[in-house]
Amino acid sequence: MRYAMAVDTKKCVGCSDCVVACQTENDVPVGFCRDWVVEVTDGTYPQLETEIRSERCNHCDNSPCVRCCPTGASHYAEGGVVLVTHDECIGCGACIASCPYDARYPHPDGYVDKCTFCLHNRVEQGLDPACVSVCPTKCMYFGDLDDPNSPVSKVLKTRKFKTLIPEAGTKPQLYFLI
Amino acid sequence: MKSRRDFIKISALGLGATAVAAGSAQALFGSPLFGNKNGNTESGTPLRRTPTYCEICFWQCAGWVYKDGDGNIKKITGNDDDQHCNGRFCPRGTGGIGQYMDEDRIKTPLIRTKVNGKDTFKEASWDEALDFIANKMQQIKRDHGPECVALFTHGSGGAHMGHMLKAYGSGTIAAPSFAQCRGPREVGFLTTFGDIIYSPERIDIRDTRCMVLIGSHLGENMHNGQVQEMSDAIDKGATIITVDPRFSTAASKSKFWLPIKPATDLALLLSWINVLIENGWYDKEYVEKYTVGFDALKEHVKTFTPEWAYGITTIDPNIIRETAREMFNASPSVIINPGRHVTWYGDDTQRMRAVAILTALLGSWGRRGGYYKPEKLHLPNFPVPPFPEPQRKPTDAYKGIYPLANEVVANGLCDATIPSVDRECNLRAWIVNGTNLLAAFPNQKNTLAAIDALELLVVIDTMPIELTGYADVVLPECTYLERYDMIRNSGHRQPNIALRMPAAEPKYNTKPASWIAKELAGKLGLAAYFPWKDMEELLDWQFKELGTSLEEMKRIGVKNYPREVDDLYFTPGEDVVFNTTSGKIELYSSDMESEGFDPMPVYTPHEEPPEGFYRLNYGRAPMHTFSRTANNPNLTALMNENVLWVNPKVAKLWNLTAGQRVKLKNQDNVISTFSIKVRVTERIRWDSVYMVHGFGHNNTKLTRAHGRGINDTELITRVKVDPVMGGTGMRGNFVTFITEFNEDGKEAEA
């Protein structure tokens, strides 16, 4: 099993609903976030292209954050999802420094927090992650890459896609449809 | 000159506030739901849910409020059965919890008083506050007649307060959603098709093959159902054509983006009509069967060629032809989106007429992928005595002008408040619920002059919006998450109803508008008009009339009903009678003509920015609704100020750098109170600047909103009023940059 997510940049309008839904679903304190929206514009008026992306932890196959964690708090869970065991985290911040995607933040309660793909509170119950299920444009696809019929497998078969900073060698599992 | 009505900052008076907790002991709201898969927190605690419909904007999506075992509201999600949201709330709805949590809410009733000659608010009990209002209202009724009390409303409280006001004898009720927003489009379509667009709009985006957005920035303008359907349409390969001087989010999703010169849209529309007719790219059968005035139209648009339009709009004639062809190829599944906020230049009804005419030529009204016919339930009213007949109609306040307005013109009422010898009835009191009129009406000076003339201003709101500072009485309304409201009865592809019930007790000493209206009516001797014990009795009666019950609705939240007739679209060859003078779709409008307006739209050039000035364009951000969400903790975490979009060429000319703060000065020398951050971006034309509306709040009690960005409304001092229906055109204002100023407020232009 290999959980992954694809975000369709052709549909995402950058409304940030994914951010709010994640915050309320996962009790993320106001002022912090586990996912965020990036807008990139290229060209000169009126020859322009704007790409909007909903970003989060890439749940990398080769995660520098897991490798560098001194206590083992950062670990691979079911389906390759990268999680942080709050009780084992000493808040040293090594993982924050190692992440090329800037996906982690120091939680005010003293541990490092990040996207969990809503593994325990939703995915294990057969639900999509909160961001995926709330998105008004339905621009996000989630599922098991080992299952050819999962929404994410299906969409990656038919659409062109990219990952972010592939040169970092982290083997990210967050795909952007382009 | 010192005004009678000095602005009072509620902050100065909050000291010693005794927030009275709502008294009645109430059992747990809601019940645990079985088979509810959406029900755990991250820590695994089971959640309970109660139904609501959202109040953060006017799409009014129905959803569920989830609470933990201690009754704390945790999250809000969409109701899968709701046609407004299809189970998915937008960021504002998801973040609606912030309105409930906001610690800056108004906490107790306030009455204006004088201490040592200085205006201040004193905290009051509900009894005192409502007595004060009732006495004033009785006095105004005796002295001037009840019609001199007006209600301005933009929200669910309006139904309750409106019921009270009608019982009192006044029908003077208006919402800024007509003449400050969608009015021109309703009148433009009414005079063409004999019917309006409604909200949610009756456009069939889901099944369209081509949608044209003219200055409409869907995606930034987060009208949930429309954004969802636009995404579905993109998935199905529909063509999006966006006309906007700004490279909007929608433009970035479009096959064609037409970077039009601002204020020239009507020229483009006319040339599209020209191209369709000259090339025979229109639905001949439809036009023949359903319309009148085609020959006159053909003659009228003869000279409006793409080459003519090019000189005005700067849009390449080949692109005008190509996009017209694209529309025709998709017809009748094509939508020239009528938009929503369309009060721009004062000839807006005529521009919307051009949109309606294009719609008719393409045969998309009454067709799949074009416009459908919504159906709405008839909702029986709880029996009450007949309302007294008002001596004066609200339209008497602006007699003889705005002849084709089909709703009350809010700015007409505002103007009729300023004393004038020509006017037989000056309004004396305003009750304002759920709308910050100082941000909704352009030309603040005019609004303040009207307010200064009032004998009574009552503001009912959840937040200490700027208008509260001018009130005689401020009534703290509880949020939508803490109250019942009237049934949401909306027209859609299927008729449907939704319930809003309290998920929690009202915080502080706040009350629902339903309670406020009933209590005030009691004090006015009008209790007979509120014969129900409480909202539960009222709602249960109405639900039972509709074959359901409050108990069932608490469980399901939304109920969809089958359509009475299968008439979502016209059937082929169907004979249709339109509700116009001719009974046909009027390409040539007899209503416009008989009122002395152009029967077919004519392009007139609008003013252009003077040297060194830029047109002020404004719009929406997906995480905010007007000025009402500007203090919401969840939503300000996403965006806590507006920024000024400036083209790099302009930035270079003015030596502006990204992130630099500037103030703006408009053509009338009005300088913004606060400053704004510059965003240097290619996404905006060089002849205009852009900001999101709803920021720059001036009340320090709004701790997250105060002084954040610029309030565009204060710079909109030149208003182009649409003579057809009274719409306030707001896009004819020009601004220039002030780069050196004192942060404390006053100008100091270098």
Side-chain angles (χ1 to χ4, degrees):
Chain A
M1 182 180 277
R2 175 64 252 197
Y3 285 126
M5 189 183 288
V7 179
D8 191 346
T9 63
K10 298 288 180 204
K11 292 201 289 180
C12 176
V13 294
C15 73
S16 308
D17 203 3
C18 44
V19 181
V20 193
C22 172
Q23 286 171 332
T24 57
E25 183 74 39
N26 296 308
D27 277 330
V28 178
V30 169
F32 297 93
C33 56
R34 291 181 179 182
D35 53 356
W36 60 93
V37 172
V38 173
E39 177 210 307
V40 185
T41 298
D42 288 315
T44 308
Y45 194 99
Q47 253 66 52
L48 293 168
E49 269 183 45
T50 291
E51 181 176 285
I52 302 173
R53 300 188 299 261
S54 167
E55 295 187 5
R56 59 194 47 60
C57 170
N58 283 254
H59 297 278
C60 307
D61 267 351
N62 178 23
S63 301
C65 56
V66 172
R67 220 177 317 120
C68 76
C69 178
T71 67
S74 282
H75 64 284
Y76 299 108
E78 179 196 354
V81 176
V82 175
L83 294 183
V84 183
T85 309
H86 297 164
D87 290 349
E88 291 173 13
C89 177
I90 54 171
C92 71
C95 55
I96 295 178
S98 77
C99 175
Y101 306 103
D102 203 12
R104 295 169 164 245
Y105 72 93
H107 192 284
D109 288 350
Y111 55 85
V112 170
D113 193 38
K114 62 178 269 305
C115 164
T116 62
F117 271 168
C118 290
L119 182 65
H120 295 319
N121 51 329
R122 295 184 59 94
V123 172
E124 282 173 359
Q125 297 162 49
L127 298 165
D128 276 330
C131 54
V132 178
S133 74
V134 80
C135 177
T137 67
K138 289 172 236 154
C139 78
M140 284 177 252
Y141 303 82
F142 179 80
D144 178 5
L145 286 180
D146 292 341
D147 171 6
N149 289 318
S150 72
V152 68
S153 298
K154 286 209 295 217
V155 77
L156 289 178
K157 237 173 277 166
T158 57
R159 291 280 301 273
K160 247 171 96 175
F161 60 83
K162 66 175 181 186
T163 56
L164 297 179
I165 327 178
E167 62 275 19
T170 60
K171 298 183 185 163
Q173 297 304 315
L174 180 58
Y175 299 88
F176 293 93
L177 308 175
I178 49 177
Chain B
M1 197 182 78
K2 198 164 156 55
S3 156
R4 177 185 79 80
R5 192 180 292 278
D6 287 337
F7 179 79
I8 306 175
K9 292 188 171 111
I10 287 180
S11 61
L13 305 141
L15 292 171
T18 39
V20 183
S24 67
Q26 184 118 5
L28 289 173
F29 289 95
S31 54
L33 277 156
F34 301 102
N36 158 29
K37 296 215 303 176
N38 202 358
N40 277 6
T41 59
E42 197 176 33
S43 53
T45 339
L47 297 178
R48 293 168 297 118
R49 68 181 192 180
T50 49
T52 190
Y53 58 86
C54 188
E55 183 77 2
I56 308 291
C57 90
F58 305 100
W59 208 255
Q60 296 195 317
C61 297
W64 298 105
V65 187
Y66 286 84
K67 286 155 291 167
D68 65 14
D70 299 327
N72 300 308
I73 297 178
K74 302 302 288 183
K75 64 174 181 180
I76 309 171
T77 68
N79 185 320
D80 289 340
D81 294 330
D82 183 34
Q83 296 173 78
H84 294 222
C85 77
N86 308 299
R88 291 161 185 263
F89 265 20
C90 84
R92 297 164 300 162
T94 309
I97 186 170
Q99 193 184 79
Y100 166 74
M101 302 296 282
D102 197 327
E103 69 285 0
D104 292 342
R105 285 167 57 176
I106 313 171
K107 299 182 175 74
T108 196
L110 301 168
I111 299 177
R112 175 179 291 265
T113 183
K114 270 203 194 308
V115 174
N116 300 330
K118 201 169 169 281
D119 276 17
T120 187
F121 280 128
K122 69 166 190 209
E123 289 175 0
S125 67
W126 278 97
D127 243 0
E128 281 175 90
L130 295 177
D131 276 336
F132 182 96
I133 297 167
N135 287 339
K136 271 273 184 210
M137 283 177 74
Q138 298 291 34
Q139 187 193 326
I140 291 168
K141 191 184 216 169
R142 275 195 308 273
D143 296 350
H144 311 290
E147 308 85 0
C148 293
V149 179
L151 169 67
F152 294 93
T153 171
H154 205 180
S156 300
H160 310 290
M161 299 312 295
H163 185 85
M164 181 278 298
L165 203 66
K166 285 180 208 159
Y168 165 78
S170 171
T172 316
I173 301 169
S177 51
F178 180 74
Q180 280 64 55
C181 194
R182 56 180 173 77
R185 136 196 134 175
E186 306 297 29
V187 177
F189 275 70
L190 195 59
T191 48
T192 312
F193 293 99
D195 204 354
I196 63 168
I197 306 288
Y198 303 104
S199 172
E201 284 76 6
R202 60 198 295 179
I203 43 182
D204 207 11
I205 304 178
R206 188 178 68 187
D207 289 324
T208 200
R209 292 172 58 208
C210 176
M211 178 160 70
V212 184
L213 299 167
I214 302 162
S216 166
H217 53 338
L218 267 186
E220 289 159 281
N221 190 347
M222 204 63 204
H223 287 121
N224 197 345
Q226 285 197 28
V227 175
Q228 292 190 18
E229 292 198 13
M230 178 167 79
S231 189
D232 292 345
I234 290 172
D235 249 353
K236 289 195 257 179
T239 297
I240 312 287
I241 300 168
T242 299
V243 180
D244 203 314
R246 191 175 61 96
F247 191 60
S248 61
T249 298
S252 78
K253 312 286 178 203
S254 299
K255 182 171 171 190
F256 295 94
W257 169 45
L258 280 52
I260 194 166
K261 180 176 167 179
T264 66
D265 311 79
L266 186 49
L268 174 67
L269 287 161
L270 289 169
S271 76
W272 269 337
I273 295 172
N274 168 292
V275 173
L276 294 185
I277 292 179
E278 291 299 315
N279 292 284
W281 294 343
Y282 60 94
D283 191 329
K284 295 184 186 73
E285 207 178 307
Y286 185 98
V287 167
E288 173 74 18
K289 190 171 173 59
Y290 296 128
T291 72
V292 288
F294 178 77
D295 292 337
L297 178 69
K298 185 173 178 178
E299 187 57 33
H300 176 67
V301 299
K302 221 172 193 105
T303 57
F304 304 144
T305 60
E307 283 69 22
W308 165 81
Y310 172 55
I312 298 167
T313 61
T314 73
I315 303 297
D316 180 345
N318 294 324
I319 295 289
I320 297 179
R321 290 198 173 83
E322 202 181 334
T323 45
R325 175 86 219 187
E326 192 89 20
M327 293 178 215
F328 176 62
N329 285 347
S331 67
S333 298
V334 53
I335 296 165
I336 318 297
N337 195 310
R340 208 159 154 114
H341 173 77
V342 287
T343 46
W344 299 348
Y345 309 117
D347 60 352
D348 306 299
T349 306
Q350 292 288 9
R351 188 180 69 254
M352 297 320 291
R353 273 269 301 146
V355 168
I357 289 168
L358 267 177
T359 302
L361 293 174
L362 294 162
S364 69
W365 180 270
R367 296 288 189 67
R368 180 182 294 278
Y371 286 77
Y372 63 79
K373 184 179 176 191
E375 192 179 307
K376 191 174 180 173
L377 289 185
H378 169 68
L379 187 60
N381 287 323
F382 198 99
V384 294
F387 292 129
E389 190 63 39
Q391 299 297 304
R392 286 174 290 219
K393 296 194 298 286
T395 47
D396 291 354
Y398 45 88
K399 227 175 197 152
I401 44 176
Y402 319 142
L404 290 174
N406 65 318
E407 290 182 36
V408 179
V409 178
N411 44 299
L413 298 187
C414 179
D415 294 344
T417 307
I418 301 169
S420 154
V421 282
D422 312 331
R423 211 174 283 112
E424 179 257 335
C425 107
N426 290 311
L427 301 185
R428 307 286 172 159
W430 291 2
I431 300 169
V432 185
N433 177 222
T435 171
N436 189 6
L437 291 181
L438 284 167
F441 287 144
N443 193 355
Q444 288 187 337
K445 220 167 127 187
N446 190 64
T447 313
L448 289 171
I451 288 173
D452 203 40
L454 287 171
E455 291 173 26
L456 175 68
L457 174 59
V458 180
V459 178
I460 306 168
D461 214 295
T462 61
M463 296 302 298
I465 53 168
E466 201 169 8
L467 191 65
T468 56
Y470 297 92
D472 294 296
V473 184
V474 180
L475 299 179
E477 192 182 15
C478 62
T479 69
Y480 69 106
L481 297 174
E482 303 158 300
R483 70 187 194 223
Y484 282 107
D485 264 309
M486 294 302 195
I487 296 169
R488 188 201 77 186
N489 178 24
S490 77
H492 215 287
R493 291 182 176 101
Q494 266 183 273
N496 63 89
I497 50 171
L499 166 68
R500 171 185 290 160
M501 68 173 285
E505 285 278 3
K507 276 194 179 187
Y508 316 114
N509 191 17
T510 65
K511 295 284 185 191
S514 58
W515 181 92
I516 299 170
K518 191 172 191 290
E519 289 296 306
L520 184 55
K523 291 184 186 294
L524 290 164
L526 304 168
Y529 291 92
F530 289 79
W532 46 85
K533 186 168 119 276
D534 52 20
M535 282 300 287
E536 295 203 347
E537 185 184 333
L538 170 66
L539 291 171
D540 194 44
W541 184 90
Q542 282 191 303
F543 282 132
K544 284 190 171 134
E545 291 286 309
L546 299 172
T548 175
S549 66
L550 181 59
E551 191 271 327
E552 184 190 35
M553 289 303 293
K554 281 183 179 179
R555 268 186 292 115
I556 60 178
V558 167
K559 196 173 172 79
N560 292 308
Y561 290 77
R563 288 179 75 91
E564 280 197 3
V565 208
D566 181 21
D567 60 351
L568 201 55
Y569 313 113
F570 299 167
T571 49
E574 181 182 345
D575 290 320
V576 183
V577 179
F578 297 86
N579 190 25
T580 54
T581 310
S582 61
K584 301 254 187 192
I585 298 169
E586 297 201 349
L587 304 176
Y588 184 101
S589 169
S590 51
D591 285 349
M592 293 287 259
E593 188 176 42
S594 62
E595 293 296 346
F597 303 115
D598 292 326
M600 290 174 295
V602 176
Y603 171 74
T604 39
H606 298 296
E607 277 153 293
E608 295 191 23
E611 180 86 32
F613 281 74
Y614 305 87
R615 187 179 298 274
L616 174 63
N617 280 335
Y618 54 85
R620 304 274 298 268
M623 60 290 280
H624 284 288
T625 303
F626 319 138
S627 63
R628 63 166 50 190
T629 51
N631 205 65
N632 178 311
N634 297 69
L635 301 179
T636 50
L638 300 173
M639 176 184 182
N640 66 358
E641 63 182 329
N642 54 2
V643 294
L644 187 72
W645 293 38
V646 178
N647 183 282
K649 287 193 184 80
V650 177
K652 199 172 164 200
L653 202 65
W654 286 82
N655 214 7
L656 301 176
T657 50
Q660 176 183 351
R661 300 200 79 92
V662 295
K663 285 194 170 191
L664 296 178
K665 181 169 84 173
N666 79 355
Q667 72 284 335
D668 297 327
N669 284 317
V670 172
I671 296 173
S672 61
T673 308
F674 302 109
S675 62
I676 189 167
K677 253 187 216 162
V678 171
R679 175 190 181 185
V680 180
T681 174
E682 291 285 355
R683 293 177 63 186
I684 180 92
R685 255 178 91 107
W686 53 87
D687 50 9
S688 49
V689 292
Y690 172 83
M691 67 173 77
V692 169
H693 168 75
F695 288 86
H697 283 260
N698 201 9
N699 196 341
T700 50
K701 190 59 187 170
L702 297 166
T703 54
R704 277 174 295 272
H706 175 255
R708 290 288 188 165
I710 283 181
N711 177 355
D712 55 325
T713 307
E714 68 180 346
L715 298 168
I716 301 175
T717 51
R718 184 193 284 160
V719 185
K720 300 284 181 186
V721 177
D722 191 332
V724 180
M725 46 59 71
T728 50
M730 306 189 211
R731 295 203 173 157
N733 288 267
F734 310 112
V735 293
T736 190
F737 310 101
I738 298 176
T739 50
E740 288 181 34
F741 52 85
N742 304 324
E743 265 302 347
D744 59 10
K746 303 295 165 239
E747 58 269 27
E749 191 180 356

